[in-house]
Amino acid sequence: MIHKTLLYLILLSLTLSVSSCGEEARVLNSSEKKWLKDKDHITVAVFPYYPPYQFINESDNIDGILIEYLHLIEKKVNYTFEKKYYSDWNALLKDSKGKKVDIVLEMQETNYKRKYMNFYANFFESSFVLVVKKENNTNTKLNDFTKNKTIAVPKGYAIDDYLRENYPNINIKNYPDDITCLVNLQSGEVDGFIGPKAVVNYIITMNNFNDIKIVSKTHYNYEPSIAVDKDNKILNSIIHKSVNSISEEEESNIFDNWNFNVVKPFYKKSKFWKFLSLAILCILLSVSAIHFFLKYKINQKTIELQIAKEKAEKSSRMKTNFIQNISHEIRTPMNGIIGFSDLLKTDDITVEEQKEFTQIIVNSSNELITSVQNILEISGLESKHIKVRIEKTNLNNLLKELILFYTSKAQKKKLTIHHENDINSQQSLILVDKVKIKSILNNLIDNAIKFTNYGNIIIYSYIEDEKIIISIKDTGIGIKKDDQHIIFESFSQSEKEISKNFGGLGLGLSISKMNSELINGKISFFSKENKGSQFTLTIPYTPIEDA
């Protein structure tokens, strides 16, 4: 009997596994699955302050109807999105417009937002309702808020845009969110509020707001959608397919989970307070205040820990990729050194072959030294063990040495290096950490040559506003727009791809950025894909005569 039960459980597990894989296969095509597999992270903006759609529950977990929809979509595409939590809706809007997030879990579709986001899954709608104090007239209309009356709406929400566009004469007062609006209505700071009926009912019930009421519905509805960055075509296709694959039964199950009646605890009923003395009331209020303060702090820490955990997991994945790349970059030159050293031992090689093998050994040794130096340098920089050593430096001579060194390397690719220098001989005598500035310029010039197949490299150097500015401009492959915000990050996916295609560990820009910050400078860049890049180093100008 036990064996039969175990066999049944094993078969059931295999069936569920195959079913899950089959579901993913039906939803996405092979190229979409590969695209997801290659993505280190896809960021979903979550605003957990809009119950019952998304909110922090009594257990301090992010919960809600749309959270369950997101989990269902993750299951269907077999991918876990990176959640970015926001407590400020306007900050979320700014990041979505600035393409710092890929998906917004909940957003009302408007004409303006359609310019930069696509919207999917209008799962349900809730009428916007007008809420006033109970003693007010039940016939209150929106047009009544034009003189001495003020209506509250959350800043940046779709209803805010709608009212300002369609009712320009009414008095609007903005607050951060719906619950703050209703708190101020309850206290009499404002005269009315407009919000989704489901949200209003939920907040009034959970917060025991007995002095306010819903007086009418508007002809405007709240229809939350999942919003996706309009420029990300593949991600739009994936979300579109996954949303369309949600069956009526699955959607119904989510709604059934949220079809409940809120039971008020005894201590929130008005009759309970009538039997308590003033002293006990004060004690309870004090305990309640402490409770909510601690809960608020715990919520903050919980969100911070969740974000830190996801960042740590992302960093771990990146470092694993980096270690794999290290093994390749060290093994390859070592194989060259050992292999061609063995060939030099043979007696039947010609003088020309001997020279060729020797040169290969020298080149492989240089590659190995560069890799080891980069590993040691990035390790020292990240552990804060690298110190700044200021010394007298002739900047013009340093630039001449570097250009002379890299000219032969450029000529092998039929490239030319030009130097446009506006720093005279007196100005070039400065105090700076020579080793670090040489390391930075080495990396920038080397990258310019590495990623340029035709054309030229121009190096500009001049002094402006008590700053030394050195700029390296190339006509190379440029940098993809999606990668430009992460090119200075150590162990990033972008560096992994660069290393695979062009060789090296891909740590040059990370090392250069850290070194520039150590000497109170900065590195900026401008790049267009397939047009070229221009990297600019800016450092303080400290002439020797002023030292």
Side-chain angles (χ1 to χ4, degrees), residues 510-524:
S510 300
I511 291 171
S512 297
K513 182 175 183 293
M514 292 181 188
N515 274 329
S516 69
E517 290 170 351
L518 276 177
I519 59 176
N520 298 318
K522 66 176 182 178
I523 295 178
S524 56

Side-chain angles (χ1 to χ4, degrees), residues 230-343:
K230 199 165 190 173
D231 294 333
N232 197 328
K233 304 299 182 186
I234 297 180
L235 183 58
N236 273 272
S237 175
I238 290 170
I239 296 300
H240 176 69
K241 288 181 178 180
S242 61
V243 166
N244 286 344
S245 70
I246 296 175
S247 67
E248 290 183 6
E249 182 181 358
E250 290 170 327
E251 193 171 273
S252 178
N253 288 337
I254 291 175
F255 276 106
D256 289 342
N257 287 341
W258 291 95
N259 186 21
F260 63 90
N261 294 317
V262 178
V263 179
K264 293 167 64 176
F266 71 96
Y267 56 82
K268 287 192 176 182
K269 294 179 181 179
S270 58
K271 290 182 180 180
F272 173 77
W273 300 108
K274 294 178 181 179
F275 297 98
L276 293 179
S277 66
L278 182 61
I280 297 176
L281 178 61
C282 292
I283 293 172
L284 286 176
L285 288 174
S286 299
V287 171
S288 179
I290 294 171
H291 165 74
F292 283 113
F293 174 77
L294 291 175
K295 183 178 178 181
Y296 168 76
K297 299 298 288 184
I298 291 170
N299 285 344
Q300 278 190 321
K301 292 298 180 183
T302 301
I303 293 173
E304 290 172 4
L305 286 172
Q306 287 174 332
I307 294 171
K309 175 177 175 290
E310 291 172 359
K311 285 184 177 179
E313 290 173 349
K314 175 184 173 183
S315 176
S316 177
R317 290 195 302 270
M318 290 179 175
K319 288 183 179 180
T320 299
N321 293 334
F322 173 71
I323 291 170
Q324 291 172 351
N325 195 35
I326 284 178
S327 64
H328 168 76
E329 290 300 323
I330 292 179
R331 191 188 306 116
T332 300
M334 284 297 295
N335 287 340
I337 294 168
I338 295 169
F340 285 97
S341 296
D342 287 338
L343 289 175

Side-chain angles (χ1 to χ4, degrees), residues 54-66:
Q54 47 178 329
F55 62 98
I56 301 172
N57 63 22
E58 293 294 328
S59 302
D60 297 329
N61 295 319
I62 307 299
D63 207 350
I65 298 172
L66 290 179

Side-chain angles (χ1 to χ4, degrees), residues 456-474:
N456 55 63
I457 291 105
I458 303 175
I459 300 173
Y460 303 92
S461 53
Y462 55 95
I463 297 173
E464 183 178 277
D465 297 331
E466 298 301 315
K467 303 284 185 183
I468 294 175
I469 299 171
I470 304 172
S471 190
I472 294 93
K473 182 179 181 182
D474 64 59

Side-chain angles (χ1 to χ4, degrees), residues 22-247:
E23 182 179 18
E24 182 200 0
R26 289 194 302 271
V27 173
L28 305 180
N29 60 37
S30 58
S31 63
E32 289 165 341
K33 287 190 283 186
K34 183 179 184 300
W35 185 85
L36 277 179
K37 185 178 179 181
D38 292 339
K39 292 291 286 185
D40 277 342
H41 67 280
I42 298 172
T43 306
V44 177
V46 177
F47 182 69
Y49 302 96
Y50 213 53
Y53 307 116
Q54 47 178 329
F55 62 98
I56 301 172
N57 63 22
E58 293 294 328
S59 302
D60 297 329
N61 295 319
I62 307 299
D63 207 350
I65 298 172
L66 290 179
I67 297 297
E68 291 198 24
Y69 269 107
L70 181 62
H71 291 331
L72 183 57
I73 289 172
E74 287 179 330
K75 179 180 177 183
K76 285 184 174 291
V77 301
N78 194 27
Y79 186 90
T80 301
F81 298 109
E82 178 179 282
K83 287 82 176 177
K84 186 173 182 180
Y85 301 96
Y86 289 84
S87 59
D88 184 343
W89 177 253
N90 289 288
L92 186 152
L93 287 177
K94 183 179 179 182
D95 283 358
S96 64
K97 283 186 282 189
K99 300 187 182 300
K100 294 182 180 180
V101 295
D102 304 298
I103 299 171
V104 179
L105 180 58
E106 179 185 5
M107 182 180 279
Q108 174 87 345
E109 184 176 358
T110 64
N111 291 332
Y112 177 73
K113 290 169 185 172
R114 275 195 292 269
K115 294 178 181 178
Y116 58 94
M117 303 295 280
N118 286 329
F119 294 84
Y120 303 95
N122 296 114
F123 296 119
F124 45 82
E125 64 180 49
S126 177
S127 299
F128 276 90
V129 293
L130 179 59
V131 187
V132 298
K133 298 279 284 185
K134 280 188 175 179
E135 65 263 26
N136 287 3
N137 192 335
T138 56
N139 295 322
T140 303
K141 305 296 182 186
L142 269 174
N143 290 323
D144 295 334
F145 296 87
T146 54
K147 293 182 179 179
N148 299 323
K149 292 185 177 181
T150 304
I151 192 164
V153 291
K155 184 179 181 180
Y157 282 28
I159 187 63
D160 189 20
D161 297 337
Y162 172 80
L163 291 178
R164 293 183 186 278
E165 182 178 347
N166 294 279
Y167 295 88
N169 295 324
I170 67 174
N171 295 322
I172 297 174
K173 189 167 185 180
N174 289 127
Y175 293 97
D177 50 44
D178 293 89
I179 190 167
T180 308
C181 290
L182 288 170
V183 167
N184 280 277
L185 175 59
Q186 172 88 355
S187 66
E189 291 292 323
V190 293
D191 305 292
F193 165 74
I194 287 185
K197 185 177 181 181
V199 175
V200 171
N201 283 330
Y202 187 93
I203 294 174
I204 288 176
T205 303
M206 292 301 293
N207 293 276
N208 200 24
F209 290 158
N210 296 320
D211 296 331
I212 57 179
K213 63 181 178 180
I214 296 172
V215 291
S216 64
K217 289 184 180 179
T218 69
H219 58 274
Y220 185 55
N221 293 326
Y222 179 63
E223 300 174 10
S225 302
I226 295 176
V228 182
D229 177 15
K230 199 165 190 173
D231 294 333
N232 197 328
K233 304 299 182 186
I234 297 180
L235 183 58
N236 273 272
S237 175
I238 290 170
I239 296 300
H240 176 69
K241 288 181 178 180
S242 61
V243 166
N244 286 344
S245 70
I246 296 175
S247 67

Side-chain angles (χ1 to χ4, degrees), residues 479-518:
I479 302 167
K480 293 179 182 177
K481 190 173 181 180
D482 291 343
D483 289 340
Q484 290 187 9
H485 67 288
I486 60 169
I487 61 169
F488 291 113
E489 295 180 9
S490 305
F491 320 117
S492 70
Q493 179 69 19
S494 175
E495 288 175 339
K496 178 185 173 185
E497 293 301 317
I498 289 172
S499 303
K500 182 171 68 177
N501 295 327
F502 293 92
L505 294 173
L507 291 175
L509 289 178
S510 300
I511 291 171
S512 297
K513 182 175 183 293
M514 292 181 188
N515 274 329
S516 69
E517 290 170 351
L518 276 177

